[in-house]
Amino acid sequence: MDRDGLPEQPMVIGFVQTKGGTGKSTLALNTAFSATMAEAFDSVALVELDPQGTLKTWWQEREQMGYDSGRVSFHHISSTQREVFQKGIQSISDYNALMIMDIPGEGTGRLHTRFACAFCDLVIVPMRISTNDESAFINNLYPIIKEIISAAPEKRGRFFVLPVFTHPLANPRRCFAYFEDMLPPHVSCLKAVYPARSVYENFNRRGLNLYEYERLVDSNKKFKEQVKRAIQDVETISKTIIETGREKNGSVERPTTKS
Ligand SMILES: Nc1ncnc2c1ncn2[C@@H]1O[C@H](COP(=O)(O)OP(=O)(O)OP(=O)(O)O)[C@@H](O)[C@H]1O
Ligand SMILES: [Mg+2]
């Protein structure tokens, strides 16, 4: 529900990176299951476009374990055929209030990445403070962003970097300032961070999300505290995504056919 108690407008979010291992899949699955998203959206589609199938394997494990996914559904689209790929994305978004996509920069092909990013209300690029990640972004993903904006200028202002694996005690404002300074035009820094937490080493994705993991470690006080902090990170990121998306959707009419 939004501030006036009305249902949220449908929203499409993509986590994308050409650089591997920046937390896309972990962020996609945990934001999809966050309490914030559950409160705001009646139905949530978690969509993996990565042929690697990290989330597909994870979801199969979930099903084998019999976990209840509530209002979250999972979809894996890996077709190399353009029409199948594009229609798949369109139809999932038609039937879900919120769609969260895990978009790989490589492996899907440039055209697929471009289509998926152009389909999003918000594109979130998880990025470490690292010159390696920054130059990979400028060389690989930024040219795709520029193509999207030149074909559809209304997509301006929808691309955000999320600082990831930051030190848990780092001042987020310093991270924002760092990225605002180095980012090229049309890309901003999301006003949230995704700190590095050792809990993700133990949380080895046996089909669990963070919330289920918290229940599993209920008797271990130290672990439970760590998981709680990780959950807080994910809730803050989810809230920031909704607020940012709401601002953007309020200013520009959505170009899709959603009901
Ligand atoms: N906040 C975090 N702190 C520490 N480790 C994390 C965090 N989030 C994720 N990880 C770990 O980092 C690794 C990469 O995460 P993940 O698989 O989500 O990234 P990815 O961008 O989807 O990778 P890929 O490019 O392979 O698809 C995993 O081992 C994951 O458990
Ligand atoms: Mg992944």
Side-chain angles (χ1 to χ4, degrees):
M1 297 284 161
D2 70 8
R3 278 165 297 204
D4 306 316
L6 298 168
E8 286 289 342
Q9 278 185 31
M11 205 180 277
V12 180
I13 294 154
F15 289 99
V16 64
Q17 242 304 10
T18 44
K19 191 93 173 72
T22 57
K24 287 185 301 293
S25 303
T26 311
L27 278 161
L29 81 88
N30 285 306
T31 50
F33 277 99
S34 71
T36 303
M37 294 307 189
E39 204 181 307
F41 298 99
D42 289 340
S43 53
V44 181
L46 173 62
V47 182
E48 179 176 55
L49 305 180
D50 194 341
Q52 192 177 255
T54 311
L55 292 182
K56 190 179 176 186
T57 309
W58 168 81
W59 191 268
Q60 282 165 349
E61 284 168 345
R62 271 188 85 65
E63 288 191 325
Q64 275 165 16
M65 298 299 284
Y67 295 128
D68 178 8
S69 295
R71 58 184 78 192
V72 181
S73 61
F74 176 73
H75 313 260
H76 182 248
I77 307 177
S78 62
S79 176
T80 49
Q81 278 181 289
R82 197 179 62 167
E83 212 167 296
V84 177
F85 182 86
Q86 298 189 354
K87 282 202 170 141
I89 291 178
Q90 177 71 61
S91 68
I92 296 165
S93 95
D94 284 344
Y95 289 99
N96 287 279
L98 173 68
M99 173 152 116
I100 297 182
M101 292 194 276
D102 178 358
I103 312 172
E106 279 148 22
T108 357
R110 187 187 173 87
L111 285 180
H112 280 12
T113 301
R114 195 176 73 191
F115 177 83
C117 290
F119 197 83
C120 292
D121 294 305
L122 286 190
V123 175
I124 296 162
V125 185
M127 206 192 292
R128 287 171 284 228
I129 297 187
S130 120
T131 43
N132 248 348
D133 279 26
E134 290 158 18
S135 53
F137 170 72
I138 296 294
N139 294 327
N140 303 324
L141 194 55
Y142 189 54
I144 297 178
I145 294 176
K146 281 198 290 192
E147 282 172 24
I148 294 171
I149 291 173
S150 86
E154 73 276 11
K155 290 286 167 184
R156 231 176 253 167
R158 293 183 178 251
F159 298 88
F160 292 86
V161 159
L162 170 64
V164 298
F165 305 160
T166 54
H167 190 284
L169 300 177
N171 180 346
R173 268 176 299 184
R174 287 208 174 167
C175 302
F176 306 154
Y178 174 87
F179 278 109
E180 291 297 357
D181 198 41
M182 61 73 55
L183 286 171
H186 311 307
V187 185
S188 312
C189 186
L190 196 75
K191 296 297 177 282
V193 293
Y194 181 57
R197 303 239 179 241
S198 59
V199 62
Y200 291 97
E201 287 158 25
N202 309 311
F203 159 67
N204 62 359
R205 300 212 191 106
R206 275 168 313 187
L208 294 162
N209 59 44
L210 274 177
Y211 305 83
E212 290 151 349
Y213 188 61
E214 186 191 15
R215 288 198 287 275
L216 192 78
V217 297
D218 201 33
S219 54
N220 185 325
K221 227 175 155 189
K222 194 173 145 225
F223 262 18
K224 200 174 156 82
E225 268 317 299
Q226 289 182 20
V227 185
K228 268 193 188 317
R229 279 193 212 113
I231 289 176
Q232 272 170 11
D233 299 335
V234 171
E235 296 298 347
T236 305
I237 292 168
S238 301
K239 279 193 193 99
T240 311
I241 287 174
I242 292 184
E243 278 166 20
T244 312
R246 194 188 276 150
E247 263 170 43
K248 298 293 165 190
N249 284 348
S251 58
V252 183
E253 204 54 40
R254 287 179 56 77
T256 66
T257 55
K258 280 177 221 154
S259 55

